[in-house]
Amino acid sequence: MTTTQAALRTLTAARVLVRERLAAAGIPNPLTNAERMLECLLDISRVELYLFRQQGLTESQQTQLDHWVQERVSGKPLQYLLGHTGFYGLDILVEKGVFIPRPETERLVEEVIRLVSESPVPSHPLRILDIGTGSGAIAVALAVNLSGAEVVATDVSEPALLLARKNATRNGIADRVHFALVDLFPATREAFDVIVSNPPYISSSTIPNLMPEVRDFEPHEALDGGPDGLNFHRRIIEGAKALLTPGGLVALEVGEGQAEMVAAIMQKTGYRDHRIEKDLCEVGRVVIARKGGHG
Ligand code: SAH
């Protein structure tokens, strides 16, 4: 321990040492992981990490950092260690047992915001349903960016809903986001202008092949989408018809290779104007359609 502690004396030394330990353990992006740990440990920004590079760590900070490195080496996702992550420019709390929001999902949020902003303004506050809200990332990002919108967010996981509520409060929109512990749809049959979801979409048989970091640490009920991964998409597309206002939007995230199938299901179910939006890796990631009627 003496050598470790001596080497951890400055931020620069800590950055190098942590990166080396993570790299040696085969952890991807070791430098980014090391820098995120230090930023979080000292509650400083990336720029400050460089500005204060000669600053020393205290003994308790070194102990905390060592603990994080050990946990990270054991495969625990960085976001669970640090307890929060960035999503659509917001700070979102995460914890083990609740799905970590992914950058791909920002595409879904971005597209919904764009389409809603282009649509005729409804005569009532915009009403959005976020199904399988997890940490609340989508619901919170939409409420923050669509002022006045009312959001209902559902999940079957009580820990997820507790965390999502905290995220709504921290981001100042708790009065416009309502949470319900239900299977997909809220019990009240109110209408929604937008139904959005990033549901579980991994096919059951491929779960064992997922990266251990995902398979062994994230909740399975957030991942498993049934035999072809599309169980939830089918149920949401079918059920959303009865809840959407005429011209209302259904917007779903999909896994790689699923977009065309989901678009076909939407078309067959009677939706119109379906479109597929790609993510930064050119993977069809978001499928959106409108319920028939005006709009
Ligand atoms: N929307 C979040 C979480 C996605 S993970 C995000 O994008 O980060 C999928 C979520 O769906 C999990 O939180 C899981 O608990 C929830 N879920 C699984 N089955 C469900 C069901 N039948 N009804 C509602 N939510 C469900």
Side-chain angles (χ1 to χ4, degrees), residues 99-102 105 130-138 154-157 160 182-184 198-200 221-222 232 235 253:
F99 186 80
I100 300 167
R102 303 295 206 273
T105 308
D130 173 27
I131 297 175
T133 198
S135 65
I138 299 174
T154 70
D155 210 293
V156 285
S157 156
V182 291
D183 178 15
L184 300 189
N198 172 24
E221 71 269 21
F232 288 95
R235 287 183 61 205
E253 180 168 327

Side-chain angles (χ1 to χ4, degrees), residues 222-238:
L223 303 172
D224 193 340
D228 66 352
L230 296 180
N231 275 5
F232 288 95
H233 298 78
R234 286 194 192 87
R235 287 183 61 205
I236 293 171
I237 292 167
E238 185 56 42

Side-chain angles (χ1 to χ4, degrees), residues 27 54 78 123 162 203 208 223 228 275:
I27 301 297
Q54 295 310 332
L78 183 70
S123 53
L162 283 172
S203 61
L223 303 172
D228 66 352
R275 54 199 284 171

